[in-house]
Amino acid sequence: MSGYAIGVDVGGTFTDIVCVAEDGAETLAKAPTTPADQSEGVLDGLAVLAERLGLPLPVLLARTGRIVHGTTVATNALLEKRLARAAMLTTEGHRDVIEMREGTKPDRYNLRSTPPAPIIPRARRLPVRERIGADGAVRLPLDAASLADAIAALGDAEAVAICFLHAWANPAHERAAAEAVRAARPEAFVTLSSEVLPQIKEFERFSTTAVNAAVGPLVARYLRRLAARLERAGYGGPLFVILSHGGVAPVEDAARLAVGTALSGPAGGVAAAVALARGGAGEDLVTFDMGGTSSDIALIQRGEAALSHGREVGGERIALESLDISTLGAGGGSIAHLDAAGRLAVGPRSAGADPGPVAYGRGGTEPTVTDANLVLGLLDPERFLGGRRRLDREAARAAFAALGARLGLSAEQAAAGVQRLVDAKMADGIRLATVRRGVDPRGAALLAFGGAAGLHASAVARDLGMRRVLVPLFAAGLSAWGMLRTDLRFEVSRSLPAGMPDEAALRAVFAALAEAAAARMAAWHHGPLSLLRSADLRYGEQVYDVRVPLDGVTWDEPGLPARIEAAFHARHEALFGWSRAGEEVVMVNARVAAVGRLPEARAAPPPPAPDAAPVARRRILLDGAWHEVAVFDFAALAPGQRVAGPAIVESDTTTVLLRHGDAARMDAARLLDIAIG
């Protein structure tokens, strides 16, 4: 790595910037997120970083070798339904695939529930006369007049999804239609299902492509704007975007496959967890990323992150491979209120970055989790963001006094109630995310990061019976830090719906996919490359398939189909507790991912330092009573330093609460390793 490497994570409240210098020195900077145009907050954060490094911003950017960025533009657009005006060209007679979904409702046991409105309304789903069979043969040629009529009916659509039946088997008609659309509407964002998701299952393919059309123009405009701002500020290096599967892609490819950024930001935190697990933190971790508006939970087993190849974001089906991350609508900015039954509740509404919690003094009037922690004495109002923003404790207390009066509680009692509710909500979310996969969380360590997690991690771990919590020094910027430990990744796949291919066919399919993936990666990357093989398999009568990694399978000996089947049985047993060794196994999709290794931004080992002493004492409300506890400077803790609870460990960007019985030790990797009492 030459010069600096910079990771940028745009959150709901703050934009986090982590910079790693050539000598391994790490610097964290934060700036408020600017929801109207996230690129403004990114440049604000870079300016703060330059100031902390003592450099003019143009000099910093000129010395930067790469920037890796996580964005929430696509996620926010889907959640808020602020989408581009999209249209769809589809095979005549199949315009309602995305409305019929898979014949199910989100709540299939509630007969009164209604499916969500399609992301592209029926009036803009335009039929085209053509037909390709499942074998790739042309059954009905693409009708030029029908295509012309559909293009003429596009109206003011700024994006066009082209989704033809069986285009995964033969994309010729989709490509011809795309050429015609681009000729007639050169300004339109055009996306093909055969490029977004070239595999069977029409609803998943059509839905994923429709989502790409709906968010594509927004993501492309944002990334162009960001790249232009960076260039004007003095940056001339590559800009990468982290995708939902945890790998990164050049900005041009991320704009083309915008749907792949739907979990961009949280993916950085999981990448960081994998790096820490492999670096000695422990092979089994549960990540607990609590930010301003939400909390993200993922599972690391044996040093690897769990992957999913289908999820919903904002009610829309996205069938691309992604990290298996569960998101809860609760964070530091989550608003405390009374529900319809008059009970105390927290979230899912959030004060976000603007106006933010009441204590920010920017117009917020509804109390939040951050306000509760301030009222309880857990936050230092003078040190927030390194003193760049003073928190108004009296305003926060007044907001909780008003809420508490409606419940017959004091301000402090109401704030303590909010804290307990949030802790219970987080524990339930982690329990669901782990136990549903057959994993007992008590056997893992809780990796707590994000600006707010340190105040809640001990209570959450206790609720779950977990005995160990890890909090990184850079907890508030760990997602940005993790982005600098990712690699380029490009995956190709082929559907094989006929069953399990014979040995020769298997070798031919995977060899062709490996060649295609390597060729695609060659356009991005000229360094070390690895190819990862996997397949989606199922038993003959199953309606779902299972992703099975195949790199542990021996490929250079006879009997390859039997070894792949054995790997599937073992994976099925691990996931569901049963397998059927004698039953037919069907390979649905073959996959090869090309992974291009980027230079790793390595942190310098911490310098030796004497044991740190408390820097202050603070009065906090804990477990229903007031206590005066020692406050330690997180950054000043030397490796091997021990802190016993109750105590506060804080930095400019995060605060950790040690409860009664907790025993913390700072390790050499700058992780606060907490044994839960």
Side-chain angles (χ1 to χ4, degrees), residues 14-18 27-31 48 52 290 379 383-388 449-455 471-478 633-635 649-656:
F14 288 102
T15 294
D16 301 326
I17 315 273
V18 168
T27 306
L28 170 64
K30 294 174 78 74
V48 173
R52 295 200 63 184
M290 185 175 179
L379 293 174
R383 193 177 178 180
F384 194 71
L385 288 183
R388 293 194 305 276
F449 58 99
L455 287 172
V471 185
L473 175 61
F474 273 8
L478 195 71
D633 185 340
F634 204 156
V649 179
E650 65 183 10
S651 69
D652 290 347
T653 56
T654 195
T655 302
V656 183

Side-chain angles (χ1 to χ4, degrees), residues 334-340 342-348 367 403 407 418 421:
S334 294
I335 293 170
H337 60 97
L338 301 186
D339 64 15
R343 297 169 300 191
L344 186 63
V346 182
L403 179 66
L407 295 165
V418 166
L421 276 174

Side-chain angles (χ1 to χ4, degrees), residues 101-426:
R101 301 175 72 87
E102 292 173 307
T104 61
K105 300 177 180 180
D107 184 355
R108 65 187 67 189
Y109 300 110
N110 182 356
L111 298 179
R112 297 182 179 180
S113 69
T114 57
I119 197 167
I120 299 177
R122 196 171 197 270
R124 295 203 302 271
R125 302 197 299 265
L126 307 169
V128 176
R129 193 169 302 116
E130 66 82 40
R131 188 63 177 264
I132 295 225
D135 58 357
V138 176
R139 300 284 193 267
L140 181 66
L142 180 63
D143 185 81
S146 174
L147 177 61
D149 289 344
I151 293 173
L154 289 174
D156 60 352
E158 59 179 319
V160 182
I162 302 178
C163 304
F164 289 160
L165 203 65
H166 301 307
W168 59 270
N170 181 352
H173 285 182
E174 284 197 350
R175 291 173 180 170
E179 185 177 343
V181 172
R182 289 179 177 128
R185 302 284 295 274
E187 76 288 354
F189 180 94
V190 180
T191 183
L192 285 65
S193 76
S194 52
E195 294 178 353
V196 172
L197 191 69
Q199 61 188 50
I200 63 170
K201 297 185 179 178
E202 254 59 47
F203 168 66
E204 291 194 343
R205 180 161 54 89
F206 284 22
S207 176
T208 306
T209 308
V211 172
N212 198 51
V215 302
L218 309 177
V219 173
R221 281 197 294 268
Y222 165 70
L223 292 176
R224 283 196 299 267
R225 213 162 43 236
L226 176 61
R229 282 180 181 271
L230 289 170
E231 185 177 0
R232 288 195 299 270
Y235 181 62
L239 175 62
F240 298 107
V241 178
I242 187 166
L243 302 182
S244 301
H245 52 47
V248 299
V251 65
E252 301 83 4
D253 283 79
R256 179 184 59 82
L257 190 63
V259 65
T261 68
L263 289 175
S264 175
V270 179
V274 170
L276 291 172
R278 294 174 178 173
E283 288 193 329
D284 295 332
L285 301 173
V286 176
T287 70
F288 171 34
D289 177 5
M290 185 175 179
T293 57
S294 63
S295 296
D296 299 309
I297 300 159
L299 183 62
I300 310 298
Q301 289 183 284
R302 294 176 292 280
E304 297 290 342
L307 287 169
S308 167
H309 57 286
R311 63 179 300 125
E312 290 192 357
V313 178
E316 304 300 335
R317 180 69 170 173
I318 298 173
L320 296 178
E321 182 177 73
S322 66
L323 293 166
D324 197 355
I325 299 171
S326 301
T327 300
L328 303 177
S334 294
I335 293 170
H337 60 97
L338 301 186
D339 64 15
R343 297 169 300 191
L344 186 63
V346 182
R349 287 194 307 122
S350 172
D354 187 13
V358 174
Y360 284 12
R362 300 181 60 183
T365 59
E366 298 178 283
T368 67
V369 174
T370 294
D371 294 313
N373 286 324
L374 183 62
V375 169
L376 297 174
L378 303 178
L379 293 174
D380 183 347
E382 304 296 334
R383 193 177 178 180
F384 194 71
L385 288 183
R388 293 194 305 276
R389 172 176 289 167
R390 185 186 181 281
L391 298 180
D392 188 340
R393 187 173 188 275
E394 291 309 312
R397 190 181 184 285
F400 268 104
L403 179 66
R406 300 168 63 188
L407 295 165
L409 302 174
S410 68
E412 288 76 14
Q413 287 172 326
V418 166
Q419 185 191 54
R420 287 195 295 272
L421 276 174
V422 169
D423 292 344
K425 189 170 186 177
M426 300 301 175

Side-chain angles (χ1 to χ4, degrees), residues 422-596:
V422 169
D423 292 344
K425 189 170 186 177
M426 300 301 175
D428 285 345
I430 292 172
R431 192 174 287 111
L432 180 63
T434 53
V435 174
R436 71 180 173 87
R437 300 191 189 104
V439 174
D440 186 343
R442 293 174 296 182
L446 185 66
L447 178 65
F449 58 99
L455 287 172
H456 301 271
S458 177
V460 169
R462 274 178 167 76
D463 192 336
L464 292 164
M466 301 176 75
R467 310 311 305 168
R468 185 174 178 230
V469 172
L470 301 171
V471 185
L473 175 61
F474 273 8
L478 195 71
S479 290
W481 182 88
M483 291 171 192
L484 300 178
R485 283 143 183 86
T486 54
D487 296 305
L488 290 162
R489 183 183 176 98
F490 182 79
E491 182 179 290
V492 294
S493 62
R494 180 178 299 175
S495 289
L496 304 166
M500 176 64 75
D502 62 27
E503 185 144 352
L506 274 173
R507 296 186 187 280
V509 165
F510 278 96
L513 291 175
E515 183 179 357
R520 186 67 184 86
M521 183 61 72
W524 298 348
H525 180 67
H526 304 289
L529 178 72
S530 60
L531 298 171
L532 306 178
R533 290 167 289 204
S534 63
D536 302 331
L537 299 119
R538 61 176 173 81
Y539 290 117
E541 300 303 318
Q542 278 182 321
V543 296
Y544 60 87
D545 47 76
V546 174
R547 180 72 54 86
V548 180
L550 297 179
D551 290 301
V553 172
T554 303
W555 285 77
D556 55 358
E557 297 177 4
L560 181 59
R563 288 193 295 276
I564 291 176
E565 289 182 6
F568 167 67
H569 295 314
R571 180 66 175 155
H572 202 282
E573 181 79 34
L575 287 174
F576 306 112
W578 63 274
S579 59
R580 296 288 184 269
E583 289 199 15
E584 175 194 17
V585 176
V586 175
M587 181 176 290
V588 182
N589 298 301
R591 302 179 182 276
V592 173
V595 178

